[in-house]
Amino acid sequence: MPRKPGTARKSASRPALRGTALAASATLALTLTALPATTPPGPAGVLRGTVTSAGKPLSHATVRLFAGDRHGVRQLGRATTDAHGSFRLRPVQRGGSVQYVEAVAAGDKALRLRSVAGVGPGGAVPQRRESAVTVNELTTVATGYALAQFTGRHGIFGPSPGLENAAATSYNLADPATGRPGKVVTDHDNGDKNATLATLGTLANLVSLCAPGADTGRCRDMLRRTAPARAAAPQDTAQAVSNLAHDPRRSTGELYALAGRAHTYRPALTSAPTAWVLALHYTPPDVYAPGRMAVDAKGNVWSSVNWLPGTRNPSSFVTVQDPVGNPVLNSPISGGGMKAGAWGIAIDHQGSVWVPSYGGDAMSTYSSAGKPLSPATGFKDGGLDHPQGTAVDQRGNVWIANFYGLKGNRGKGNVIVYPHGDPSRAITITGGGLDHPFSLQIDGYGRAWVSNARLNGARLLDKRPLDGHAGGSVTVIGPDFKPTSFSPVKDASLDWPLGLAVDSRNNVWVPSFFSDSVTEIGPDGKVVGVHKLSRRIAPWSVAVDGSDRVWVAGFGTPSVSVLCGANTGACPPGSTTGSVLSPPDGFRSKSIQHLTAVQLDQSGNVWLANNWSKLAPPTGGDGLVELIGAATPVCTPLQPLPSRPASTGPTPCALQHSSGNR
């Protein structure tokens, strides 16, 4: 990627909570003084808890403890709350990928509250089990969003590791032990720095409209307005929350007005949102100007990094965060020849991570445990020159878009392949219209689709506003390492194409920075659609989820847009391929900066790379942002086609095989 200046370097340790963030969480705590004190742990093996609604104890409620995993849901125990909303139960057994408590109000099944009570083994997070829980509206929203993609008519269940990682993510939103906001949503990166804490409080107030003694008309109205288009209203509050997580555009103005009738939780929004999204911002050490991410089989998020904070010096690190945002594997990881991580990162079949060293003209490789596998200078085989996009095919070959830097004439650059990950056998591919190739992805036939960014686009980044024409094309290279007969694919819509993606049906989606569109190319290389975005966002890259919906990262306008993909049945009624499913300005948050990458995990979370924080003067971006539970889960690492983890069969994510030549 072109070099850009940075800002002050962050300390290697996380700073103490700032006063503003502490004030935000304290405000919320002050409004909850009517709640009972945190339930003390009971005897070993006994789960104790307290259920409240609208800040008051919920008496005579039916409480059940459930365990969910890929095989389904089973009940572990049952109890009834006393006059103080307290309960205790002894589970008949333990286990499950996730344990959660569900409380239903006596005589009124519309109020259904939930709280995570344990996380089993199998994810990238430590297993834990609560001995005491608080169940209220806040924990219901946290559970509903974090586990939205695993919530169905029969409860919460699904495959590992996405289920465990999602359950652990709920703790970032609400602490089930206390029933108060979690440590992450109130920390120095979030708190009053974005709208997530206030949105959380507003959603909790919506749920409290169904508390005993509340206006039943408002409760019914709230449930009705959370119903999917042309569908019946949900029967209870837990399903209503899940509906909003799945379609955050639902009735924003009307629901905001209803939430204003309840005042249990503060802070709350002061105006209607454009969408009911919950975004969390993570800034571990040296996650500065991240280029692109890759999610490993456990759910850890690996990131390439452009620069060292506070300098224009190339970063010597690769970073790794666990599914709840903590640095792991001794991150930031140094060594292996890293010098300015580029827009490219891929994970092979053995779990090794390949990251292009843009400034080192090399490839750096790391084991799944974070140990450098490449030499101190990186792998330079094949004549690498400012490499960018990276992908792994079905046979384990590592493909590299050899961008060739911001120099020379048109037609420079090529594609390098390391057969079965062996740099010493490097193959150089030319022809087919390759012209400063930027990114590449593999389709189901083992072919590599390569975006040709040319030179003009990067040079136009210095222009204000971001405007102009750079042109571009797409080259398709067969599994025989030869460009196909229909390469290059050209179209007027391809105007500085950057990070493309392939869907489950082998359609290729190519964002164009200067045309503010996403071009859909069929498996035969023919353009089948040009989908204009609602606003000028200068899209950089895209990712496809397990329902073939296309997530678009906006660089010019910090935002995330969503398009209905080839599977129109996964979109709202009336949608067609290319319909914009997000608000006109995309999903926005104060934490989202100028994005170069969007990636998805097995929990349904959307991960965003804040590459720049300012356009003028160009300034590096801070950390990663996660949209909680917003997408259909996808197997990680890419197989290479996006596929949803399966709840049946021997493994949730079987390795895909090439369908052969076309």
Side-chain angles (χ1 to χ4, degrees), residues 37 207 233 330 427 479 504 520:
V207 176
N330 296 313
I427 297 171
S504 69
E520 180 189 359

Side-chain angles (χ1 to χ4, degrees), residues 148-368:
Q149 301 299 329
F150 303 90
T151 301
R153 188 163 54 92
H154 300 293
I156 299 172
F157 63 97
S160 300
L163 181 58
E164 293 91 340
N165 295 340
T169 300
S170 73
Y171 286 75
N172 287 356
L173 297 172
D175 181 354
T178 65
R180 301 185 187 279
K183 291 182 179 179
V184 173
V185 76
T186 55
D187 71 11
H188 68 285
D189 289 324
N190 297 281
D192 65 346
K193 299 299 177 59
N194 57 36
T196 302
L197 182 62
T199 304
L200 193 67
T202 302
L203 290 168
N205 281 332
L206 274 175
V207 176
S208 74
L209 292 174
C210 293
D215 187 323
T216 57
R218 291 174 184 165
C219 176
R220 288 195 300 270
D221 194 14
M222 184 274 291
L223 294 176
R224 179 176 59 83
R225 293 185 182 280
T226 63
R230 302 180 190 174
Q235 295 182 348
D236 57 62
T237 53
Q239 188 59 54
V241 171
S242 181
N243 285 350
L244 292 180
H246 281 275
D247 185 2
R249 300 174 307 163
R250 299 302 302 170
S251 307
T252 52
E254 296 86 351
L255 289 174
Y256 170 76
L258 280 171
R261 301 287 187 171
H263 307 285
T264 302
Y265 296 93
R266 288 288 186 272
L269 295 171
T270 56
S271 61
T274 59
W276 300 105
V277 293
L278 297 180
L280 292 178
H281 191 189
Y282 306 106
T283 62
D286 286 287
V287 184
Y288 180 82
R292 196 186 188 207
M293 304 82 67
V295 184
D296 67 20
K298 293 183 177 180
N300 296 312
V301 183
W302 295 69
S303 179
S304 62
V305 183
N306 294 167
W307 316 282
L308 293 172
T311 74
R312 296 188 63 179
N313 298 329
S315 174
S316 57
F317 299 113
V318 169
T319 65
V320 195
Q321 297 175 226
D322 70 10
V324 294
N326 300 313
V328 290
L329 307 181
N330 296 313
S331 180
I333 302 168
S334 61
M338 176 50 58
K339 185 178 181 181
W343 193 91
I345 184 169
I347 301 174
D348 67 20
H349 302 166
Q350 287 71 47
S352 298
V353 183
W354 295 79
V355 190
S357 173
Y358 185 86
D361 294 329
M363 289 297 295
S364 298
T365 312
Y366 306 88
S367 73
S368 59

Side-chain angles (χ1 to χ4, degrees), residues 394-430:
Q394 293 90 334
R395 295 181 292 174
N397 301 316
V398 178
W399 295 69
I400 307 158
N402 200 21
F403 181 69
Y404 212 77
L406 300 176
K407 61 183 180 182
N409 300 316
R410 294 179 181 177
K412 295 290 185 179
N414 46 49
V415 169
I416 307 298
V417 179
Y418 290 168
H420 304 291
D422 185 352
S424 69
R425 299 168 56 198
I427 297 171
T428 300
I429 303 171
T430 58

